[in-house]
Amino acid sequence: MAQSIEFKAVEDGFELLFGGRTVLRHALDCPALAIARGRPDIEMVRGNFRIDDAPQGRRELAAWDAFDGGVRFDGARIEWDGPALTVTCDDPSFDRMYFRFHAELEESVWGGGEQMSYFALNGRRFPMWTSEPGVGRDKSTELTRAMDEAGMAGGDYYHTNYPQPTFLTSRWIAVHLDETCYSVLDFTDSKAHAVEVWSGTARFELFAADGPKGLVGQLADRFGRQPPLPDWAIGGAIVGLKSGASSFDRLENFVDAGAAIAGLWCEDWAGIRETSFGRRLFWDWQVGARSAARYPDLEARIAALADRGIRFMAYANPYLSVDADLYAEALEGGHFCLGLESDEPYLVDFGEFDCGVVDFTREETKVWFAERILGREMLDRGIMGWMADFGEYLPTDLRLADGSDPMEMHNRWPVLWAEVNAMALESRGKTGDAVFFMRAGFSGVQAHCPLLWAGDQSVDFTRHDGIGTVVTGALSAGLVGNAYSHSDCGGYTSLLGNVRSEELLQRWCELAAFAPVMRSHEGNRPDENLQYDSTPELLACFARWSRVHAALTPYVRALSDEAAATGLPLQRPLFLEYPDDPALFAVQDQYLYGADMIVAPVIEEGASQRKVILPGSGPWIHVWSGERYMPGTHTVDAPIGFPPVFYREGSAFAPVFARLPGALAG
């Protein structure tokens, strides 16, 4: 039976309880609700947003009186029904609300969607707005400052492709804001979990469980579970190459090196465009003249790979460049968002080329994109997956076909984009077989997107934008219902002289092997950076770890089936299995891979050992040496090629884990 909210009058105020826990406490000298009128100022440059507000007439709502199923203030009311609270301003001119949920001292908080810098959210505020995450994401670094000067592109710790206004606490409760507007989760006050909402109405959903696994399962039920990943996607590495027809020849070098290959991913399948940022794609998602020039006889090459059990994967995004052939077709079909003052398509500058924004609020447009592009141009040609990129760029000053406010639709846009991709798979009977992966998201994307990817990390070890952020991102996204995450093995963004090192490529292989999908990327400047086929040593490194990834297939298959049944993510924070140890609550640099494996990747440049926490009460086995370790904190040798990985003694999958050293050795 679903739990309900309980009202309790107390001295000078009231409390709301859920699942036996206090979730809101109101007093005259500490009101739970304030309202105001907003004065927003918003600027976008290539998916990077500057959002300011100067709210007017703020009112702290102190006086109250109760009625059946709610509380009335002077200017607003709170009503509850089952596990949900609805807050409404009586005067529609008030469009800002500031809500204070109860917090207890030492209570830990997680969530916020996919957060790349901080897993535990305590002490910081996190705006919920999908955007480019930025390059550097650390205002103290020269790289971030330079990117800010070049177009607000530096970012900060809270910038993310995938925000979600959901938070979980160590009292094993969760709160979800069921709105798409701009909002802020603010945990800077240890006595309150504050939520700022840019709307005159807000609905909050409450969840409670006996422990974190039950709570995560409820959230997965609420937002929708992904289908199990297909065997091919977890059974080897997906090699990312984008050098035209020579990509097929280069793939053979990986095969000859002994790599376990699941797929070849060529994001440049539709053509390329050289820009000052680097090698970009030509945004015309079809097999046309540009595609044929770069990949002659593509369908035949795809079929030949399929005969060998290797899938071909591609790329698409929800925009069309003005010089693309498909642009004219989309224009004739009325498929673009329009300007506010004209019936001309609204154009977005994506960096030296302009694009129209495909309008997914129009059902005919969703069907057209799913059928005409994803269906006929991709799936029907044998393409078995793709990067479904972007989704974060919807401007706030355009006109949508359904008349909705773009400020309300902006965060919803990645979900609509995911729906279109899922629609295409379903139309061809490929759900659970073909796989697309996305970086952008918001509440509800889980029901449509089968696989996350962590976005465009810098090609380095930096704290806020380097290799380690993919671990934090996977752990945070996993708590709100995303079972599967992976990253660009090798990183992506190379700017201002920041290029890949051999050490980075090696360490990223070690990390990627212990994710549900292992996929490499050549980055935005492939000619200036090392690639996995640049040297025999790097090629051998990739081959070794692809074999380790493939050797884990029986275990990952079981975890994938478990995720479909329970909603639990494959990459888990330590406390998910060991909730009684508060010392584990903020750990974000190692993870449980399922319940039986600990992965502690080396994410610091030059490190040859690292501290590892082994939780619980039973022994753990070091995968590479077979040495038995008791629970506790250990400093473990971790030279390149031997990252700290342990499995639980007595695991039913011990025979699988014991074969990993042999797979690594070849």
Side-chain angles (χ1 to χ4, degrees):
M1 178 181 295
Q3 300 181 76
S4 297
I5 294 168
E6 302 173 51
F7 172 84
K8 179 182 178 183
V10 297
E11 184 180 356
D12 202 29
F14 65 88
E15 293 183 357
L16 298 181
L17 293 85
F18 186 75
R21 292 87 148 175
T22 299
V23 294
L24 183 144
R25 178 174 291 160
H26 175 86
L28 295 180
D29 61 349
C30 188
L33 178 63
I35 60 176
R37 297 182 176 92
R39 293 182 60 185
D41 181 17
I42 300 170
E43 181 183 0
M44 183 191 86
V45 178
R46 299 170 189 168
N48 302 286
F49 287 82
R50 180 187 57 77
I51 300 178
D52 295 317
D53 196 21
Q56 306 294 303
R58 177 168 173 140
R59 294 167 56 188
E60 303 286 338
L61 304 184
W64 62 278
D65 65 271
F67 60 90
D68 187 22
V71 174
R72 185 178 294 104
F73 303 90
D74 181 17
R77 60 190 183 279
I78 302 175
E79 299 168 280
W80 49 86
D81 181 17
L85 287 171
T86 301
V87 190
T88 309
C89 291
D90 295 333
D91 183 344
S93 69
F94 282 87
D95 56 4
R96 297 290 184 270
M97 295 193 297
Y98 309 88
F99 213 71
R100 290 169 54 88
F101 288 95
H102 173 67
E104 295 186 355
L105 293 178
E106 308 302 324
E107 185 174 11
S108 291
V109 188
W110 312 274
E114 183 187 50
Q115 292 296 328
M116 313 306 293
S117 287
Y118 298 103
F119 176 51
L121 309 183
N122 300 76
R124 296 178 176 85
R125 66 194 305 272
F126 298 84
M128 298 287 102
W129 187 258
T130 179
S131 70
E132 285 280 6
V135 179
R137 303 180 72 252
D138 182 348
K139 298 303 186 188
S140 69
T141 66
E142 288 297 329
L143 177 60
T144 303
R145 286 195 288 267
M147 295 307 299
D148 278 339
E149 292 173 1
M152 306 190 307
D156 210 331
Y157 71 87
Y158 55 82
H159 286 99
T160 175
N161 305 109
Y162 177 7
Q164 182 171 317
T166 307
F167 65 88
L168 308 80
T169 89
S170 54
R171 288 189 291 146
W172 313 130
I173 58 175
V175 178
H176 170 64
L177 171 62
D178 188 26
E179 307 293 341
T180 61
C181 60
Y182 181 88
S183 62
V184 180
L185 303 182
D186 188 340
F187 306 106
T188 56
D189 183 349
S190 62
K191 299 185 293 295
H193 306 313
V195 183
E196 175 183 337
V197 186
W198 284 26
S199 175
T201 184
R203 183 175 184 271
F204 294 97
E205 299 175 4
L206 305 181
F207 306 82
D210 293 334
K213 294 173 78 170
L215 196 59
V216 170
Q218 288 184 44
L219 293 175
D221 288 341
R222 164 62 178 85
F223 299 115
R225 298 181 188 173
Q226 300 80 45
L229 289 171
D231 288 340
W232 70 264
I234 64 177
I238 297 168
V239 181
L241 301 171
K242 54 178 178 181
S243 59
S246 68
S247 299
F248 291 95
D249 301 324
R250 293 170 63 193
L251 180 68
E252 297 307 316
N253 295 328
F254 286 83
V255 174
D256 293 343
I261 304 298
L264 171 63
W265 174 52
C266 296
E267 63 173 351
D268 62 333
W269 71 285
I272 63 167
R273 185 194 306 268
E274 297 289 349
T275 73
S276 61
F277 179 76
R279 184 168 301 160
R280 305 287 300 276
L281 309 180
F282 198 91
W283 293 13
D284 188 24
W285 318 122
Q286 62 176 334
V287 175
R290 294 180 186 86
S291 174
R294 194 158 180 81
Y295 285 96
D297 302 318
L298 180 59
E299 286 188 66
R301 303 298 294 267
I302 292 173
L305 285 181
D307 288 342
R308 299 164 60 189
I310 300 174
R311 273 66 171 184
F312 184 85
M313 304 182 76
Y315 174 102
N317 70 47
Y319 311 97
L320 295 169
S321 60
V322 295
D323 51 351
D325 294 336
L326 277 171
Y327 182 88
E329 183 177 330
L331 182 62
E332 182 179 358
H335 297 309
F336 288 125
C337 302
L338 305 178
L340 291 177
E341 305 298 332
S342 75
D343 289 334
E344 296 299 315
Y346 185 105
L347 299 182
V348 176
D349 174 9
F350 276 89
E352 299 168 38
F353 60 98
D354 292 337
C355 294
V357 182
V358 180
D359 191 344
F360 292 140
T361 69
R362 185 172 180 259
E363 193 61 31
E364 301 93 325
T365 298
K366 293 172 68 175
V367 172
W368 173 79
F369 200 103
E371 172 60 28
R372 172 68 179 86
I373 297 176
L374 303 178
R376 286 158 50 187
E377 295 295 336
M378 298 174 72
L379 288 167
D380 291 352
R381 298 181 189 277
I383 293 173
M384 287 297 290
W386 55 86
M387 175 183 281
D389 204 0
F390 291 102
E392 310 92 337
Y393 275 60
L394 185 73
T396 60
D397 59 345
L398 48 61
R399 183 154 46 104
L400 297 166
D402 70 347
S404 57
D405 181 352
M407 277 294 295
E408 299 284 336
M409 188 56 69
H410 175 86
N411 280 333
R412 174 73 178 159
W413 209 249
V415 182
L416 298 182
W417 173 223
E419 289 177 0
V420 171
N421 286 270
M423 183 188 306
L425 296 191
E426 185 178 9
S427 73
R428 299 306 194 268
K430 295 293 187 181
T431 303
D433 187 7
V435 175
F436 65 90
F437 48 97
M438 295 178 60
R439 68 177 192 177
F442 193 70
S443 313
V445 75
Q446 301 93 320
H448 311 289
C449 174
L451 174 65
L452 293 183
W453 119 83
D456 298 344
Q457 278 70 36
S458 289
V459 290
D460 55 37
F461 292 89
T462 54
R463 166 69 179 83
H464 292 279
D465 199 27
I467 181 174
T469 59
V470 307
V471 178
T472 311
L475 296 183
S476 57
L479 290 182
V480 295
N482 298 275
Y484 311 111
S485 181
H486 77 301
S487 65
D488 291 337
C489 185
Y492 174 78
T493 303
S494 174
L495 291 170
L496 303 180
N498 188 31
V499 295
R500 292 167 162 176
S501 67
E502 184 175 12
E503 179 187 2
L504 178 78
L505 288 173
Q506 292 169 324
R507 290 304 195 187
W508 217 307
C509 270
E510 297 170 3
L511 169 61
F514 296 94
V517 171
M518 181 180 183
R519 175 186 54 81
S520 65
H521 199 311
E522 290 200 301
N524 66 307
R525 293 179 179 268
D527 299 336
E528 300 173 19
N529 280 269
L530 285 170
Q531 304 298 337
Y532 282 111
D533 58 350
S534 292
T535 69
E537 293 77 16
L538 284 173
L539 191 59
C541 171
F542 187 88
R544 285 195 298 273
W545 290 106
S546 72
R547 293 193 299 267
V548 170
H549 184 267
L552 279 167
T553 299
Y555 183 56
V556 178
R557 173 81 280 138
L559 296 183
S560 183
D561 292 341
E562 181 185 25
T566 67
L568 292 178
L570 276 64
Q571 293 161 284
R572 304 174 186 175
L574 302 186
F575 75 77
L576 199 62
E577 298 288 343
Y578 303 95
D580 297 329
D581 185 355
L584 304 179
F585 287 172
V587 176
Q588 65 180 57
D589 63 349
Q590 66 174 81
Y591 58 93
L592 282 157
Y593 199 25
D596 290 1
M597 179 171 273
I598 291 279
V599 180
V602 177
I603 55 176
E604 292 186 7
E605 188 172 16
S608 59
Q609 58 179 212
R610 66 154 293 172
K611 289 184 178 179
V612 180
I613 300 171
L614 299 177
S617 57
W620 294 84
I621 308 300
H622 185 251
V623 165
W624 315 118
S625 68
E627 185 177 350
R628 192 169 180 261
Y629 283 71
M630 296 306 293
T633 300
H634 303 267
T635 298
V636 180
D637 287 338
I640 289 175
F642 297 95
V645 180
F646 297 80
Y647 65 90
R648 186 173 55 80
E649 186 177 69
S651 167
F653 290 92
V656 173
F657 304 143
R659 290 195 292 269
L660 297 185
L664 184 65

